Amino acid sequence: MINFVGAGPGAPDLITVRGQKLLQEADVIIYAGSLVNPELLKLARPECDIYNSAGMTLEEVIAVMEKAEADGKMTVRLHTGDPSLYGAIREQMDLLEPKNISFQVTPGVSSFCGVAAALNAEYTLPNVSQSVIITRMEGRTPVPEKEEMSLMASHGATMAIFLSTGLLEPLKEKLLAGGYTEETPAAIVYKATWPEERVFRCTVGTLPETARENNITKTAMIVVGGFLGNSYERSKLYDPGFTHEFREASK
Ligand code: SAH
């Protein structure tokens, strides 16, 4: 059995209870070395074989899984955050399936949630935005034309932008082209939930210089939108004058 496990955003105690148990039981662990906190590997049994996938190809990863499976072993494939976002798990699953190797997924806390926590922020404020757009700038991986950054920005929704810290000048231009202004609040969060976490609040206009001045070039998330500002409406859910399924309005 192959267990794809979300490692969480960084802090080792932000893995799920299930993920932690699987790490403790694993015979083989293949972890995404660039972003998974190595502290998590201390959970492994002494006899566990541990591989860092940073220097491996997809085929090499699958070969390790196949060998483990033939030996009747349990493999944990440890991905940063939640494996469903930029995790490249589908291509692994599609190679395992024809080999009749079974697999299952244990979700994780995605870094965009760790980033909100670092900012003490709520992404979905009434009258500000009720949607979160998770996206990235085009890099070596293409982004479909319909999802081009300025089109995404044109919604004016909350945006969590992954994998784009090295592209802040073009990102800024696209955000402005989409209708955000130089003054729209933004933040750069470096290594959310890690001991070295750093939070920089800025605006769309100052994104590139904020990163430059603080030497932030990778492992950061950019978030943009009015949710970082100060005006919003109170929720209906906790409004004293609002009746709902679980509570009568007070007079
Ligand atoms: N599956 C992961 C994302 C992997 S893509 C998840 O759910 O979080 C890698 C990108 O995620 C990085 O380029 C960065 O933009 C973001 N990222 C990962 N960990 C982060 C962290 N602790 N703080 C800020 N951004 C992070």
Side-chain angles (χ1 to χ4, degrees):
M1 171 66 80
I2 313 296
N3 281 286
F4 292 97
V5 174
D13 56 350
L14 284 177
I15 193 169
T16 64
V17 174
R18 186 188 297 178
Q20 181 179 43
K21 188 160 171 282
L22 287 167
L23 276 183
Q24 287 163 337
E25 291 169 357
D27 302 300
V28 176
I29 296 173
I30 310 171
Y31 71 103
S34 55
L35 279 173
V36 167
N37 192 329
E39 284 287 310
L40 280 169
L41 303 173
K42 293 185 180 161
L43 293 169
R45 296 183 303 131
E47 58 274 33
C48 178
D49 288 326
I50 300 181
Y51 297 82
N52 178 354
S53 64
M56 297 165 77
T57 63
L58 171 61
E59 284 67 25
E60 285 166 348
V61 168
I62 299 296
V64 170
M65 292 175 172
E66 209 173 354
K67 167 84 170 50
E69 198 65 15
D71 296 342
K73 293 179 168 174
M74 190 273 271
T75 300
V76 164
R77 176 70 171 110
L78 192 59
H79 285 277
T80 177
D82 183 79
S84 71
L85 293 171
Y86 311 109
I89 56 168
R90 173 67 188 269
E91 60 190 27
Q92 298 174 63
M93 293 170 169
D94 284 350
L95 290 179
L96 292 172
E97 212 159 67
K99 298 181 194 290
N100 286 321
I101 299 177
S102 42
F103 51 81
Q104 59 189 14
V105 181
T106 299
V109 177
S110 178
S111 57
F112 80 92
C113 302
V115 164
L119 289 161
N120 291 327
E122 177 175 351
Y123 286 138
T124 53
L125 289 176
N127 260 21
V128 176
S129 175
Q130 291 290 291
S131 312
V132 182
I133 295 178
I134 288 170
T135 189
R136 61 169 300 170
M137 288 288 280
E138 180 160 308
R140 269 174 298 182
T141 306
V143 170
E145 224 172 275
K146 285 182 171 169
E147 293 173 27
E148 209 261 327
M149 187 62 70
S150 56
L151 295 175
M152 300 308 246
S154 70
H155 294 280
T158 297
M159 295 183 82
I161 304 164
F162 287 66
L163 293 161
S164 303
T165 322
L167 296 164
L168 294 186
E169 286 289 354
L171 172 64
K172 171 183 160 179
E173 294 313 318
K174 302 269 185 201
L175 293 174
L176 294 175
Y180 287 112
T181 69
E182 295 266 347
E183 288 72 40
T184 302
I188 302 174
V189 181
Y190 172 74
K191 287 200 136 182
T193 82
W194 290 70
E196 56 271 44
E197 168 185 298
R198 293 176 75 194
V199 174
F200 305 99
R201 291 173 193 266
C202 58
T203 63
V204 166
T206 59
L207 273 170
E209 68 202 62
T210 304
R212 218 172 19 248
E213 283 163 9
N214 295 288
N215 287 322
I216 304 298
T217 55
K218 56 176 190 174
T219 333
M221 175 141 346
I222 316 303
V223 286
V224 177
F227 77 99
L228 288 164
N230 293 322
S231 62
Y232 64 95
E233 265 189 11
R234 274 183 55 156
S235 72
K236 296 277 185 264
L237 189 59
Y238 298 106
D239 181 341
F242 192 74
T243 298
H244 60 68
E245 194 184 345
F246 300 105
R247 185 171 52 75
E248 284 290 324
S250 48
K251 299 272 156 36

